Amino acid sequence: MSTLLIKGGTVVGVAGAIAADVLVDGETIAAVTEPGRISSADRVLDATGRFVIPGGIDVHTHMRLPFGGTFASDTFETGTRAAAFGGTTTIIDFAVQRTGEVVQDGLAAWHALADGECFIDYGFHMILGGVDEDALKAMDQLVADEGVTSFKLFMAYPGVFYSDDGQILRAMQRARGNGAMIMMHAENGIAIDVLVQQALARGETDPVYHGLTRPPELEAEATHRAIVLAGVARDCPLYFVHLSASEALEHVAAARDAGRNVFAETCPQYLYLTLEDQLGAPGFEGAKWVASPPLRSRHEPHRADLWKGLRANDLAVVSTDHCPFCMKEQKELGLGDFSRIPNGIGTVEHRVDLLYQGVVEGKLSLQRWVETIATTPARMFGLYPRKGVIAPGSDADIVLYDPQGHTRIGAATHHMNLDHSAWEGFEIAGRVDTVVSRGDVIVDGTGLHATKGRGRYLRRGLSSYLL
Ligand code: DUC
Ligand code: ZN
Ligand code: ZN
């Protein structure tokens, strides 16, 4: 097996930043040593001036998600290639069971989409679009046999992915029994649909009304309701996806203060973008930023509160909710009717950089950057210590990050299969320099050095955070 020595860098982990060399043997980290201790290897990477961090883990992506009569534009091939360029070496995507479908068939369909296509390692959560007796049994089987240990439910999207409170409670009770994590899309979809119909009846059809008909109160209400239901299910582990609003965060913080098994993630779009600046762009332009939950108002404290929540660990993870749709022929489906715009933003390539910008701006410590983009995601979803840490025995998924580098984001240079960028013109005071996945240098300054299909399916264990 060949060896790789990463020397002269600063290894950053949750415990701090130290000058250290990293020796990789085959696919695995063999040693983390004081600088200069090992002098030779089959290949040497000079990491002088670079941060050496665990590869990014994006636990919330939607490659080829069927939505609103179309499919998310990234395949597992294009999406995982883009992720690799951005320093992400593992994704967890959402397999889908639609109402009336057999859960295992949905999982098989997602394996068929990903198998042989990925540049990086990947796992699956399961979206349950129809909680019934068969789906509940399937939860046990997926946890026991398939390495799928987390299930997403929707309090939004009536008639599509929506689960009612009874279905949610039953899934939570099952999860309490088998150790799975319930992931919740918390928006009151029934009330939202009323507001949407009222807005359309008034002739309010522009993209900005997507945001105005999904107010923060309806995210907060659903968040609180889910916390109550999980409590009734004997404190079933509960993880809120894409938390966007201050009021929802307050409910999560209160539950955590009370010692509950409640966790949450946010996404870069909620940390940086706003209803007025992006979603409210003139004409149909705002469609680029139609996602659910929506971008929140710049005149309310959401963004500052989310950064605070990240520092305080009330928000444990930053994922992307990567769900790209092109303007042409996809977002355009909602011309003249915002409710028909496919929901989603493409960010899988930029999460590591966008969160590093938080470090540059003094909103996040270096350690917390690594913790929220890699270490906690691995622990939360049963991949630790195989992933998420630079330590002997762990997979050699490593990013060399150059704090002297510079990144300018835009559609002309990104690798996602997307005809625009939600991040056009964003500047980052840092740059992904080299990306190592299980010992292979898959990206460096000269480009991509990997073939599709090298990425492996990850059977995940239970969350490390379970009591
Ligand atoms: N939100 C989105 O914006 N897109 C896909 C699904 C979701 O919950
Ligand atoms: Zn969602
Ligand atoms: Zn999502």
Side-chain angles (χ1 to χ4, degrees):
M1 248 189 266
S2 71
T3 54
L4 170 72
L5 178 64
I6 301 171
K7 64 167 197 164
T10 300
V11 175
V12 185
V14 298
I18 53 162
D21 293 348
V22 181
L23 182 68
V24 174
D25 189 1
E27 300 192 348
T28 311
I29 296 170
V32 182
T33 72
E34 63 192 60
R37 193 132 172 212
I38 300 165
S39 52
S40 70
D42 298 323
R43 181 168 181 187
V44 177
L45 291 179
D46 183 1
T48 305
R50 313 285 196 260
F51 296 128
V52 179
I53 65 170
I57 301 176
D58 190 343
V59 300
H60 190 155
T61 69
H62 295 288
M63 307 305 170
R64 297 306 280 162
L65 179 78
F67 195 104
T70 186
F71 294 86
S73 59
D74 264 322
T75 61
F76 278 88
E77 178 185 353
T78 63
T80 61
R81 183 168 51 214
F85 273 103
T88 285
T89 52
T90 301
I91 61 165
I92 309 182
D93 201 84
F94 286 85
V96 180
Q97 176 230 9
R98 283 190 273 194
T99 318
E101 276 178 7
V102 173
V103 172
Q104 284 89 346
D105 290 350
L107 180 59
W110 243 255
H111 274 297
L113 286 176
D115 192 24
E117 298 295 312
C118 295
F119 288 89
I120 55 172
D121 292 350
Y122 62 99
F124 294 134
H125 315 284
M126 191 83 218
I127 286 175
L128 295 179
V131 176
D132 58 15
E133 206 45 52
D134 287 343
L136 293 170
K137 283 196 197 116
M139 287 174 74
D140 292 345
Q141 197 260 323
L142 263 56
V143 171
D145 305 331
E146 307 290 346
V148 175
T149 56
S150 38
F151 298 86
K152 183 178 181 189
L153 302 174
F154 287 81
M155 302 170 94
Y157 303 129
V160 189
F161 296 126
Y162 177 80
S163 291
D164 65 29
D165 290 354
Q167 290 173 308
I168 290 169
L169 180 60
R170 293 182 81 200
M172 286 175 164
Q173 289 169 331
R174 201 73 176 209
R176 178 72 272 186
N178 64 29
M181 181 75 82
I182 293 293
M183 306 174 77
M184 191 60 76
H185 180 128
E187 286 186 295
N188 183 329
I190 302 284
I192 285 168
D193 275 9
V194 170
L195 296 181
V196 168
Q197 292 316 317
Q198 290 171 344
L200 290 174
R202 287 193 296 268
E204 296 168 349
T205 59
D206 283 350
V208 73
Y209 293 105
H210 171 80
L212 296 173
T213 53
R214 306 180 88 93
E217 293 91 325
L218 294 183
E219 182 180 347
E221 182 278 328
T223 302
H224 180 251
R225 183 159 33 103
I227 290 169
V228 171
L229 291 170
V232 172
R234 294 187 299 115
D235 201 16
C236 146
L238 176 61
Y239 177 97
F240 289 98
V241 291
H242 49 48
L243 190 144
S244 74
S246 303
E247 300 90 325
L249 180 57
E250 280 169 26
H251 288 302
V252 169
R256 292 181 56 76
D257 289 348
R260 292 281 308 277
N261 254 335
V262 170
F263 310 94
E265 66 175 22
T266 192
C267 310
Q269 51 270 34
Y270 305 116
L271 292 166
Y272 286 106
L273 311 179
T274 70
L275 184 139
E276 292 81 5
D277 297 308
Q278 279 83 24
L279 192 54
F284 193 62
E285 195 68 8
K288 292 174 182 169
W289 295 280
V290 165
S292 296
L295 303 183
R296 299 302 182 188
S297 174
R298 64 175 300 136
H299 305 301
E300 294 164 0
H302 306 289
R303 285 177 300 169
D305 286 346
L306 295 180
W307 283 110
K308 213 182 329 164
L310 277 177
R311 289 192 292 275
N313 202 35
D314 288 326
L315 294 168
V317 168
V318 179
S319 71
T320 57
D321 196 8
H322 178 74
C323 193
F325 295 99
C326 290
M327 284 296 267
K328 199 168 159 39
E329 290 173 8
Q330 296 199 296
K331 294 282 187 181
E332 278 176 2
L333 292 168
L335 267 169
D337 179 351
F338 70 85
S339 73
R340 294 183 184 278
I341 300 170
N343 287 198
I345 293 175
T347 311
V348 76
E349 190 168 347
H350 307 310
R351 184 185 60 121
V352 171
D353 282 323
L354 287 165
L355 267 290
Y356 182 71
Q357 188 60 25
V359 178
V360 173
E361 293 174 10
K363 293 174 172 146
L364 218 54
S365 71
L366 205 51
Q367 290 90 322
R368 193 72 188 136
W369 172 52
V370 169
E371 200 166 16
T372 54
I373 62 168
T375 310
T376 301
R379 288 180 168 152
M380 189 70 71
F381 292 107
L383 291 172
Y384 190 87
R386 180 170 170 194
K387 306 287 190 190
V389 61
I390 295 186
S394 295
D395 281 0
D397 292 355
I398 299 169
V399 171
L400 274 55
Y401 199 84
D402 181 3
Q404 307 302 325
H406 178 260
T407 304
R408 186 173 198 283
I409 302 178
T413 50
H414 74 200
H415 300 85
M416 299 177 287
N417 183 35
L418 190 56
D419 64 2
H420 64 276
S421 172
W423 304 95
E424 191 68 45
F426 264 66
E427 311 262 350
I428 311 291
R431 184 178 67 91
V432 173
D433 176 291
T434 303
V435 182
V436 180
S437 165
R438 275 186 287 100
D440 295 337
V441 176
I442 59 169
V443 171
D444 65 14
T446 63
L448 182 75
H449 306 283
T451 48
K452 71 173 186 174
R454 65 167 299 287
R456 288 198 196 129
Y457 175 65
L458 298 166
R459 285 174 189 278
R460 296 181 294 112
L462 300 182
S463 172
S464 306
Y465 293 112
L466 293 189
L467 294 174

